[in-house]
Amino acid sequence: LAKTTQPISMDSYEGQEVNITCSHNNIATNDYITWYQQFPSQGPRFIIQGYKTKVTNEVASLFIPADRKSSTLSLPRVSLSDTAVYYCLVGDNRDDKIIFGKGTRLHILP
Amino acid sequence: EAGVTQFPSHSVIEKGQTVTLRCDPISGHDNLYWYRRVMGKEIKFLLHFVKESKQDESGMPNNRFLAERTGGTYSTLKVQPAELEDSGVYFCASSQDRGSRTEAFFGQGTRLTVV
């Protein structure tokens, strides 16, 4: 599994756009990039996955440059309820299990 | 459709006692995973079932931990005897297909406190 590096924590204010960047310099050709979100006292929850360029869903957008060595999770107009830990994962289905890193602890301020 | 459910949500036991955690995966999901997060540490993989078979149990800490998945439905994780360092949150997850590319659905977790 490719190793990922992401900020330990971030603070932002309500209504702002938040971008969390993840580095994965050793990403392999078959690897996909997946982000999970974990609220306090809950299990992680899948939010978005991509291979290249841009992916958008109702929760977030995922930007992946051409070299795929990094990716950016973008949360538009965050609210207090977006306070959570966000995990960036890289792998493909040859990897049987999800390996979690430290994640980014996002704290949204009023 | 019900998600992944775990019982109990919280358990406090004394050192030396036995505790059994239960996980009910999403119906039809052959893949079931157990994870654990000890306070201040990362979420760590414990083991992976495909139906009733243990596919990978490389993350199990020691032989005080026993996981079963009879009939390929719900799973139990027994800790016997419990030690102080076993305290943490135990998460169960299930997925339709295997692999880290596949969306995994996690339960709320069981918070285990050993005193």
Side-chain angles (χ1 to χ4, degrees):
Chain A
L1 292 172
K3 179 178 167 59
T4 60
T5 303
Q6 50 184 127
I8 295 172
S9 68
M10 295 177 67
D11 286 351
S12 187
Y13 290 98
E14 277 192 294
Q16 292 187 332
E17 177 183 82
V18 171
N19 296 309
I20 306 174
T21 297
C22 178
S23 297
H24 27 79
N25 291 317
N26 297 323
I27 190 169
T29 303
N30 293 328
D31 286 343
Y32 277 67
I33 300 154
T34 308
W35 286 78
Y36 278 77
Q37 174 190 56
Q38 184 180 23
F39 296 118
S41 302
Q42 293 189 26
R45 180 179 76 119
F46 172 98
I47 49 173
I48 199 165
Q49 183 181 83
Y51 182 79
K52 62 180 179 181
T53 63
K54 176 184 174 183
V55 179
T56 296
N57 62 23
E58 65 278 6
V59 176
S61 293
L62 179 59
F63 297 92
I64 306 168
D67 66 6
R68 305 201 325 122
K69 293 184 183 300
S70 67
S71 59
T72 299
L73 176 73
S74 181
L75 305 173
R77 295 183 298 282
V78 293
S79 63
L80 295 177
S81 62
D82 291 314
T83 292
V85 179
Y86 293 81
Y87 296 96
C88 167
L89 313 167
V90 174
D92 67 17
N93 277 0
R94 292 173 300 176
D95 309 311
D96 267 347
K97 52 189 178 284
I98 297 170
I99 302 294
F100 288 92
K102 292 183 169 59
T104 296
R105 187 171 298 275
L106 177 65
H107 186 205
I108 304 302
L109 305 167
Chain B
E1 181 183 351
V4 176
T5 53
Q6 294 185 243
F7 305 95
S9 57
H10 191 186
S11 179
V12 181
I13 62 172
E14 291 184 337
K15 176 182 170 180
Q17 289 186 323
T18 298
V19 64
T20 300
L21 314 181
R22 173 171 169 144
C23 169
D24 284 73
I26 292 174
S27 177
H29 281 192
D30 289 341
N31 295 274
L32 187 149
Y33 305 83
W34 283 98
Y35 288 82
R36 176 176 76 170
R37 186 177 62 202
V38 174
M39 191 169 65
K41 300 289 183 65
E42 298 163 26
I43 300 173
K44 293 292 189 184
F45 166 83
L46 296 179
L47 88 160
H48 169 208
F49 283 100
V50 177
K51 297 184 180 179
E52 67 276 11
S53 300
K54 292 177 185 175
Q55 182 68 29
D56 180 354
E57 51 184 328
S58 61
M60 294 288 265
N62 51 61
N63 58 10
R64 295 186 293 104
F65 289 74
L66 175 64
E68 294 180 323
R69 192 182 182 195
T70 307
T73 54
Y74 71 91
S75 175
T76 58
L77 180 64
K78 180 191 289 188
V79 185
Q80 179 183 31
E83 298 289 343
L84 298 179
E85 64 263 26
D86 300 332
S87 295
V89 182
Y90 290 77
F91 293 104
C92 174
S94 73
S95 64
Q96 196 156 21
D97 298 314
R98 60 195 291 171
S100 60
R101 250 196 68 192
T102 303
E103 179 178 355
F105 297 83
F106 284 78
Q108 300 269 59
T110 293
R111 181 175 297 276
L112 175 64
T113 304
V114 182
V115 297

